[in-house]
Amino acid sequence: MAVAKAKKKVGAQAKTNGKAKIAKKSSLKKAGAARNGRAQAKYVYVFGGGKGEGEAGMKNLLGGKGANLAEMASLGLPVPAGFTVTTEVCTEFYENKRKYPKGLTPQIENALRHIEKIMGAQFGSPKNPLLVSVRSGARVSMPGMMDTVLNLGLNEETVQGLIAKTGNERFAYDCYRRFVQMYGDVVLGLKPEHKDEIDPFEEILENKKHHAGVQLDNELSAGQLQELVAEFKAAIKQRTGHDFPEDPMEQLWGAVGAVFGSWMNERAIAYRKLYHIPEDWGTAVNVQAMVFGNMGNDCGTGVAFTRDPAIGANVFYGEYLINAQGEDVVAGTRTPEPISRLEQDMPSVYKQLLAIRQKLERHYKEMQDVEFTVQNGKLWMLQTRNGKRTGFAAFKIAHDMVKEKLIKKEEALRRLDPKALNQLLRPVFDAQEKEEAVKHGRVLAKGLNAGPGAASGRIVFNAPDAVEGKKRGERVILVRSETSPEDIKGMDASEGILTKLGGMTSHAALVARQMGKVCVAGCGTLEIDYKARTMTAKGQTLREGDWLSLDGSSGEVINGQLNTKPSEILQVLIDKTMQPQESEIFQIYDTIMQWADSLRRLNVRTNADQPDQAANAIAFGAEGIGLCRTEHMFFGGDRIDAVREMILADDEAGRRAALGKLLPMQRQDFIGIFEAMNGFPVTIRTLDPPLHEFLPHTAHEQADLAGKIGVPAEKIKAKVEALHEFNPMLGHRGCRLGVVYPEITEMQARAIFEAACEVAKAGKKVIPEVMIPLVAHVNELKQQAQVVRATADKVFAEKGVKVDYLVGTMIELPRAAVVADQIAQEAEFFSFGTNDLTQTAFGLSRDDAGRFLPYYVEHEILDNDPFDTIDQEGVGRLMQWGVERGRSTRPKLKVGICGEHGGDPATVKFCHRIGQDYVSCSPFRVPIARLAAAQAVLEEADKD
Ligand code: PEP
Ligand code: MG
């Protein structure tokens, strides 16, 4: 099963009414119908007044926002009344040529009556008008990707009602002009598609301000705002040929349609691709009574996290703006105040928020991200959802919540994304170098520490340039006034993001944290000139292409390039420059890894060819070497010349003479590795690559070698030509080398066993496992195993020591997987070489696939790059056969994986499910594999 599909399943496990599990779209429809009798599906769910028809577990049907609004209402929190049109309607809308299902209209009308009753106002009433917001809400949050309309319900009559109700004409006309502008942009399609096109509303607004002789929008008078409404409407008529709809019901249907339509806009499609969100999930639409944070100084709006989303500290964290609308905080156009200040500005609201913070965390047992508005001193909760956080914060919060007894350690492990461990292991700036930079006045500015870590790169000023820079192999820093959803690809391509405007919850900060990027936001002292492509701070001007460094943990922006240094975890584990008790993040990491280890069944080994790599991997928790590629040892120092001599030898005697030179070097390598592994098993693979890879290919190099080893250059050239292969990947490599030249295998086996005997004699435990690569037929393995065993016997007799060892093979060709029962007669273990198995199963070369595989993934021909995560349906099935058939011959056969996939969480879980014993991956991915292996156990238990 492909990973994207697996994800669909995971996402589909939310519960309906806390009981029935919704598995797929079709059963979802049935569930909807069943709840309401066969004839009529329920399309609309109301909330408010202390009750909600939905609940938090219904995210598939109501979207994240809708489900949580219902849940908050039921919890008794002050939620403006509203209703949610289900995702099912969105799906039907697209399936039926953008037509709504029958029965939706009366349900929406009834739901409107519900809002009116609770809020004590009427939709369309000229005296006491109810205004609503219309917002999207998919199962998972897609920040800013889809459309929203606010203040809906206003027209020439209802605006009078709003004036009468609020006694504030200016406010009412400001709402009205914002509504006409938003509606014109979003529903009537006037929003410019390209950056160089002019937004007609912005142009009219600028003219108005110019004529009024004012700078800011809020300096316009009620009369001028009223004129703006008329001018906006005229622009709409001129561009669309239609009048602006005055009928509130018509407005509502238009906005609902636009929100559903925005599911298919370019930004939303790009976002879904990036995060593997299936198209058929659809979005819900939330219609909710408007509350206003911009009616005066006893009003305000804010966003807050129940814990710090950047570092995970257990503090109430957020920001607000007095006299503003919610969009002002998120859009990043004004830099807000920290939430702690609200205690002075609005003490009772602050107290209420603290109580809600606690109630929400106790209820959801998760860090929440909330939006709130204060209207004339009354607090309203507009949204709650699980808060996005950095990898750092995720680990700290999960760890702390276990210690606070909010959740169990299994739940903590379930929640963590194994790949987020990359962030914990991410570099920080070299402290000394940074100090120097500070001393020399290179700190240009200080912004908010929105995404921790250290990043250095060349400045770019827009997203497309960031993408281009990355394509050229450059490291880039994206510098913007503020980011918007269109910038998402550029943000993904950048090492770090720097913005002038916006707070910790601005778009830049949210998205950067989610992506695990370094981010400094709200750096107000920065002057950015997009046209001149410069940024200026502290009197220094930097241009596009100049180096800039960002410290996302302190918020400092530093001129020039800075070197980075390992994370604290690495300083404790690898460099040993820090004590465990000095680093909180190390202690958290260590505790979580211990929890994972206590659960997992899979062993985790590493791919390492050098003693220092092996030692690093042990520090990361590796329990053995799963792949030691011996050819990597052939390149060091002058040993390559001995290898070349061996290749150029005319006969076996010549080859043996050259191999004799290599033997002591290989033996020394193996001694180092056995010692470093200190009793853990070590899988050593015999020579794999084709011999021509070791020969020099240019005339100059050939002449050089000729001089060194006393062989004529012509002979070297002739040998290179003789060894030339049209497709070396499928040529004379792997065990085929050892089969034709058994003396190579013999030398390597001798080096392994002599080293093993020596280390064993010194009193250390050694467990060598000799692995024969690229076996297709059992007879290949039979011949090679015989060479290895005969050599072992000889060495043991010579040394007077015996060491336990295994001889096994890699399963990396489809034929080997198919005849694994025969191969297991000879092999004492299997290790899946999934790099080769993927290329041979797909019939594509891993070296050339870069020309077309990215296209395949982008156009969804394949869900994922099969070299990145196992193609579970195809290659995975071969693996499953391999395990089953191998164990049909040898029930206790040890099975592992050593291809690059061994450090990919989805592959690790797959290996667990098919009953493998271990995975092996590069040293830095060992912690990721440990966590994924624990999650595999939990997922298995969840299924039962
Ligand atoms: C493999 O094929 O998966 C493997 C580990 O071997 P290599 O990458 O060295 O061919
Ligand atoms: Mg291979």
Short mmCIF file of all heavy atoms in Angstrom, two decimals, residues 329-366:
data_model
loop_
_atom_site.label_atom_id
_atom_site.label_comp_id
_atom_site.label_asym_id
_atom_site.label_seq_id
_atom_site.Cartn_x
_atom_site.Cartn_y
_atom_site.Cartn_z
N VAL A 329 -4.23 40.44 13.03
CA VAL A 329 -3.17 39.76 13.78
C VAL A 329 -2.46 38.75 12.89
O VAL A 329 -1.24 38.71 12.79
CB VAL A 329 -3.73 39.03 15.03
CG1 VAL A 329 -2.61 38.39 15.83
CG2 VAL A 329 -4.52 39.99 15.90
N VAL A 330 -3.28 37.94 12.19
CA VAL A 330 -2.69 36.86 11.39
C VAL A 330 -1.97 37.42 10.16
O VAL A 330 -0.92 36.93 9.77
CB VAL A 330 -3.80 35.85 10.98
CG1 VAL A 330 -3.19 34.67 10.25
CG2 VAL A 330 -4.55 35.38 12.21
N ALA A 331 -2.54 38.48 9.56
CA ALA A 331 -1.95 39.01 8.32
C ALA A 331 -0.59 39.63 8.57
O ALA A 331 0.22 39.77 7.66
CB ALA A 331 -2.87 40.05 7.71
N GLY A 332 -0.32 40.01 9.81
CA GLY A 332 1.01 40.54 10.11
C GLY A 332 1.19 41.98 9.67
O GLY A 332 2.31 42.45 9.50
N THR A 333 0.07 42.71 9.46
CA THR A 333 0.24 44.09 9.01
C THR A 333 0.47 45.06 10.17
O THR A 333 0.95 46.16 9.99
CB THR A 333 -0.97 44.55 8.17
OG1 THR A 333 -2.14 44.06 8.81
CG2 THR A 333 -0.90 43.99 6.76
N ARG A 334 0.10 44.65 11.41
CA ARG A 334 0.44 45.44 12.61
C ARG A 334 1.13 44.50 13.57
O ARG A 334 0.72 43.35 13.70
CB ARG A 334 -0.86 45.93 13.28
CG ARG A 334 -1.32 47.30 12.83
CD ARG A 334 -2.73 47.57 13.29
NE ARG A 334 -2.84 47.82 14.72
CZ ARG A 334 -4.03 47.96 15.35
NH1 ARG A 334 -5.17 47.87 14.69
NH2 ARG A 334 -4.07 48.18 16.64
N THR A 335 2.16 44.94 14.24
CA THR A 335 2.82 44.03 15.18
C THR A 335 2.11 44.10 16.53
O THR A 335 2.01 45.15 17.15
CB THR A 335 4.32 44.37 15.32
OG1 THR A 335 4.91 44.23 14.03
CG2 THR A 335 5.02 43.43 16.28
N PRO A 336 1.58 42.95 16.95
CA PRO A 336 0.73 42.95 18.15
C PRO A 336 1.50 42.96 19.48
O PRO A 336 2.72 42.83 19.51
CB PRO A 336 -0.06 41.65 18.01
CG PRO A 336 0.57 40.88 16.92
CD PRO A 336 1.67 41.65 16.30
N GLU A 337 0.72 43.10 20.56
CA GLU A 337 1.28 43.11 21.93
C GLU A 337 1.35 41.67 22.45
O GLU A 337 0.50 40.86 22.12
CB GLU A 337 0.33 43.86 22.87
CG GLU A 337 0.08 45.31 22.52
CD GLU A 337 1.32 46.17 22.73
OE1 GLU A 337 2.25 45.71 23.41
OE2 GLU A 337 1.35 47.28 22.18
N PRO A 338 2.33 41.40 23.31
CA PRO A 338 2.35 40.06 23.93
C PRO A 338 1.17 39.87 24.86
O PRO A 338 0.74 40.82 25.53
CB PRO A 338 3.67 40.05 24.70
CG PRO A 338 4.04 41.48 24.88
CD PRO A 338 3.43 42.25 23.75
N ILE A 339 0.68 38.64 24.94
CA ILE A 339 -0.56 38.37 25.67
C ILE A 339 -0.48 38.77 27.15
O ILE A 339 -1.47 39.15 27.75
CB ILE A 339 -0.97 36.89 25.51
CG1 ILE A 339 -2.41 36.65 25.92
CG2 ILE A 339 -0.08 35.96 26.29
CD1 ILE A 339 -3.38 36.80 24.82
N SER A 340 0.74 38.69 27.71
CA SER A 340 0.86 39.00 29.15
C SER A 340 0.42 40.45 29.44
O SER A 340 -0.02 40.77 30.54
CB SER A 340 2.29 38.77 29.62
OG SER A 340 3.16 39.48 28.79
N ARG A 341 0.51 41.31 28.45
CA ARG A 341 0.10 42.72 28.65
C ARG A 341 -1.41 42.88 28.80
O ARG A 341 -1.89 43.89 29.31
CB ARG A 341 0.56 43.55 27.46
CG ARG A 341 1.78 44.38 27.75
CD ARG A 341 1.91 45.41 26.66
NE ARG A 341 0.91 46.47 26.87
CZ ARG A 341 1.23 47.73 27.05
NH1 ARG A 341 2.50 48.07 27.05
NH2 ARG A 341 0.30 48.64 27.22
N LEU A 342 -2.12 41.88 28.32
CA LEU A 342 -3.59 41.95 28.39
C LEU A 342 -4.05 42.02 29.85
O LEU A 342 -5.14 42.52 30.14
CB LEU A 342 -4.21 40.73 27.68
CG LEU A 342 -5.70 40.78 27.38
CD1 LEU A 342 -6.03 41.89 26.38
CD2 LEU A 342 -6.19 39.44 26.83
N GLU A 343 -3.21 41.50 30.74
CA GLU A 343 -3.54 41.53 32.16
C GLU A 343 -3.74 42.98 32.62
O GLU A 343 -4.58 43.25 33.48
CB GLU A 343 -2.41 40.87 32.96
CG GLU A 343 -2.82 40.61 34.38
CD GLU A 343 -1.81 39.74 35.11
OE1 GLU A 343 -0.71 39.50 34.59
OE2 GLU A 343 -2.15 39.31 36.23
N GLN A 344 -2.96 43.89 32.03
CA GLN A 344 -3.15 45.31 32.38
C GLN A 344 -4.29 45.94 31.59
O GLN A 344 -5.10 46.67 32.13
CB GLN A 344 -1.87 46.10 32.06
CG GLN A 344 -0.71 45.76 32.95
CD GLN A 344 0.61 45.97 32.22
OE1 GLN A 344 0.79 46.92 31.48
NE2 GLN A 344 1.54 45.05 32.43
N ASP A 345 -4.35 45.62 30.29
CA ASP A 345 -5.36 46.26 29.44
C ASP A 345 -6.77 45.81 29.76
O ASP A 345 -7.70 46.61 29.74
CB ASP A 345 -5.06 45.97 27.96
CG ASP A 345 -3.89 46.80 27.45
OD1 ASP A 345 -3.51 47.75 28.16
OD2 ASP A 345 -3.37 46.50 26.36
N MET A 346 -6.95 44.49 29.99
CA MET A 346 -8.29 43.95 30.23
C MET A 346 -8.18 42.84 31.27
O MET A 346 -8.23 41.65 30.92
CB MET A 346 -8.86 43.36 28.93
CG MET A 346 -9.08 44.37 27.84
SD MET A 346 -9.72 43.57 26.36
CE MET A 346 -10.06 45.00 25.35
N PRO A 347 -8.04 43.20 32.54
CA PRO A 347 -7.74 42.18 33.55
C PRO A 347 -8.77 41.04 33.63
O PRO A 347 -8.39 39.88 33.76
CB PRO A 347 -7.69 42.97 34.86
CG PRO A 347 -7.92 44.39 34.53
CD PRO A 347 -8.10 44.55 33.08
N SER A 348 -10.05 41.38 33.52
CA SER A 348 -11.02 40.29 33.71
C SER A 348 -11.02 39.36 32.50
O SER A 348 -11.18 38.14 32.62
CB SER A 348 -12.41 40.83 34.02
OG SER A 348 -13.00 41.28 32.83
N VAL A 349 -10.83 39.93 31.31
CA VAL A 349 -10.76 39.08 30.11
C VAL A 349 -9.54 38.16 30.22
O VAL A 349 -9.60 36.97 29.90
CB VAL A 349 -10.67 39.96 28.83
CG1 VAL A 349 -10.28 39.13 27.63
CG2 VAL A 349 -11.98 40.68 28.59
N TYR A 350 -8.44 38.72 30.70
CA TYR A 350 -7.21 37.94 30.81
C TYR A 350 -7.43 36.76 31.76
O TYR A 350 -7.04 35.62 31.46
CB TYR A 350 -6.07 38.84 31.30
CG TYR A 350 -4.73 38.14 31.32
CD1 TYR A 350 -4.10 37.78 30.12
CD2 TYR A 350 -4.11 37.81 32.52
CE1 TYR A 350 -2.88 37.13 30.12
CE2 TYR A 350 -2.87 37.17 32.53
CZ TYR A 350 -2.26 36.83 31.33
OH TYR A 350 -1.05 36.18 31.33
N LYS A 351 -8.10 37.05 32.88
CA LYS A 351 -8.36 36.00 33.87
C LYS A 351 -9.22 34.88 33.26
O LYS A 351 -8.96 33.68 33.42
CB LYS A 351 -9.08 36.61 35.07
CG LYS A 351 -8.65 36.00 36.38
CD LYS A 351 -9.14 36.81 37.54
CE LYS A 351 -9.84 35.86 38.50
NZ LYS A 351 -10.71 36.53 39.42
N GLN A 352 -10.23 35.33 32.52
CA GLN A 352 -11.12 34.37 31.86
C GLN A 352 -10.34 33.51 30.85
O GLN A 352 -10.54 32.31 30.76
CB GLN A 352 -12.18 35.19 31.13
CG GLN A 352 -13.56 34.57 31.13
CD GLN A 352 -14.50 35.44 30.29
OE1 GLN A 352 -14.34 36.65 30.22
NE2 GLN A 352 -15.47 34.81 29.67
N LEU A 353 -9.43 34.17 30.13
CA LEU A 353 -8.64 33.43 29.14
C LEU A 353 -7.73 32.40 29.80
O LEU A 353 -7.56 31.29 29.30
CB LEU A 353 -7.77 34.41 28.34
CG LEU A 353 -8.39 35.00 27.08
CD1 LEU A 353 -7.46 36.06 26.49
CD2 LEU A 353 -8.68 33.93 26.03
N LEU A 354 -7.17 32.76 30.95
CA LEU A 354 -6.32 31.80 31.66
C LEU A 354 -7.11 30.57 32.07
O LEU A 354 -6.63 29.44 31.97
CB LEU A 354 -5.67 32.45 32.90
CG LEU A 354 -4.56 33.45 32.66
CD1 LEU A 354 -3.95 33.89 33.99
CD2 LEU A 354 -3.47 32.87 31.76
N ALA A 355 -8.35 30.81 32.52
CA ALA A 355 -9.19 29.68 32.93
C ALA A 355 -9.54 28.82 31.71
O ALA A 355 -9.52 27.59 31.77
CB ALA A 355 -10.46 30.20 33.59
N ILE A 356 -9.79 29.48 30.59
CA ILE A 356 -10.11 28.73 29.36
C ILE A 356 -8.90 27.93 28.89
O ILE A 356 -9.01 26.79 28.45
CB ILE A 356 -10.62 29.70 28.26
CG1 ILE A 356 -12.02 30.20 28.64
CG2 ILE A 356 -10.63 29.05 26.89
CD1 ILE A 356 -12.59 31.26 27.73
N ARG A 357 -7.74 28.55 29.03
CA ARG A 357 -6.49 27.86 28.67
C ARG A 357 -6.41 26.52 29.40
O ARG A 357 -6.13 25.47 28.81
CB ARG A 357 -5.31 28.74 29.04
CG ARG A 357 -3.98 28.04 28.93
CD ARG A 357 -2.84 28.78 29.60
NE ARG A 357 -1.63 28.02 29.47
CZ ARG A 357 -0.68 27.94 30.39
NH1 ARG A 357 -0.80 28.61 31.52
NH2 ARG A 357 0.37 27.20 30.20
N GLN A 358 -6.67 26.59 30.69
CA GLN A 358 -6.55 25.38 31.50
C GLN A 358 -7.64 24.36 31.13
O GLN A 358 -7.36 23.18 30.97
CB GLN A 358 -6.67 25.77 32.96
CG GLN A 358 -5.87 24.83 33.81
CD GLN A 358 -5.85 25.27 35.24
OE1 GLN A 358 -6.89 25.68 35.77
NE2 GLN A 358 -4.71 25.20 35.87
N LYS A 359 -8.84 24.87 30.95
CA LYS A 359 -9.96 23.99 30.63
C LYS A 359 -9.71 23.27 29.30
O LYS A 359 -9.92 22.07 29.17
CB LYS A 359 -11.23 24.84 30.53
CG LYS A 359 -12.51 24.04 30.44
CD LYS A 359 -13.71 24.94 30.68
CE LYS A 359 -14.95 24.11 30.89
NZ LYS A 359 -16.08 24.90 31.36
N LEU A 360 -9.23 24.03 28.32
CA LEU A 360 -8.99 23.43 27.00
C LEU A 360 -7.89 22.38 27.06
O LEU A 360 -8.02 21.30 26.48
CB LEU A 360 -8.62 24.51 25.98
CG LEU A 360 -9.77 25.38 25.48
CD1 LEU A 360 -9.24 26.50 24.60
CD2 LEU A 360 -10.79 24.55 24.71
N GLU A 361 -6.80 22.67 27.76
CA GLU A 361 -5.70 21.68 27.82
C GLU A 361 -6.14 20.43 28.56
O GLU A 361 -5.81 19.32 28.16
CB GLU A 361 -4.47 22.29 28.49
CG GLU A 361 -3.56 22.95 27.50
CD GLU A 361 -2.08 22.81 27.84
OE1 GLU A 361 -1.75 22.35 28.94
OE2 GLU A 361 -1.25 23.18 26.98
N ARG A 362 -6.89 20.62 29.65
CA ARG A 362 -7.38 19.45 30.39
C ARG A 362 -8.31 18.62 29.51
O ARG A 362 -8.32 17.41 29.55
CB ARG A 362 -8.15 19.89 31.63
CG ARG A 362 -7.29 20.58 32.64
CD ARG A 362 -7.17 19.74 33.93
NE ARG A 362 -6.02 20.18 34.69
CZ ARG A 362 -6.07 21.10 35.64
NH1 ARG A 362 -7.23 21.64 35.97
NH2 ARG A 362 -4.99 21.46 36.28
N HIS A 363 -9.12 19.34 28.72
CA HIS A 363 -10.11 18.64 27.90
C HIS A 363 -9.46 17.94 26.71
O HIS A 363 -9.68 16.76 26.47
CB HIS A 363 -11.17 19.63 27.43
CG HIS A 363 -12.23 18.98 26.60
ND1 HIS A 363 -13.21 18.18 27.15
CD2 HIS A 363 -12.45 18.97 25.27
CE1 HIS A 363 -13.98 17.72 26.20
NE2 HIS A 363 -13.56 18.18 25.04
N TYR A 364 -8.67 18.68 25.96
CA TYR A 364 -8.08 18.12 24.74
C TYR A 364 -6.80 17.32 25.02
O TYR A 364 -6.35 16.57 24.20
CB TYR A 364 -7.76 19.23 23.74
CG TYR A 364 -8.98 19.75 23.01
CD1 TYR A 364 -9.64 20.89 23.43
CD2 TYR A 364 -9.46 19.10 21.88
CE1 TYR A 364 -10.75 21.37 22.76
CE2 TYR A 364 -10.56 19.58 21.18
CZ TYR A 364 -11.20 20.71 21.63
OH TYR A 364 -12.29 21.19 20.95
N LYS A 365 -6.22 17.55 26.17
CA LYS A 365 -4.93 16.94 26.53
C LYS A 365 -3.89 17.18 25.44
O LYS A 365 -3.09 16.32 25.08
CB LYS A 365 -5.10 15.44 26.80
CG LYS A 365 -6.09 15.16 27.90
CD LYS A 365 -6.15 13.69 28.22
CE LYS A 365 -7.31 13.34 29.11
NZ LYS A 365 -7.48 14.17 30.28
N GLU A 366 -3.96 18.35 24.88
CA GLU A 366 -3.06 18.74 23.80
C GLU A 366 -2.88 20.26 23.85
O GLU A 366 -3.79 20.97 24.30
CB GLU A 366 -3.68 18.38 22.46
CG GLU A 366 -2.91 17.49 21.53
CD GLU A 366 -1.48 17.81 21.24
OE1 GLU A 366 -0.84 18.61 21.94
OE2 GLU A 366 -0.97 17.24 20.27
#
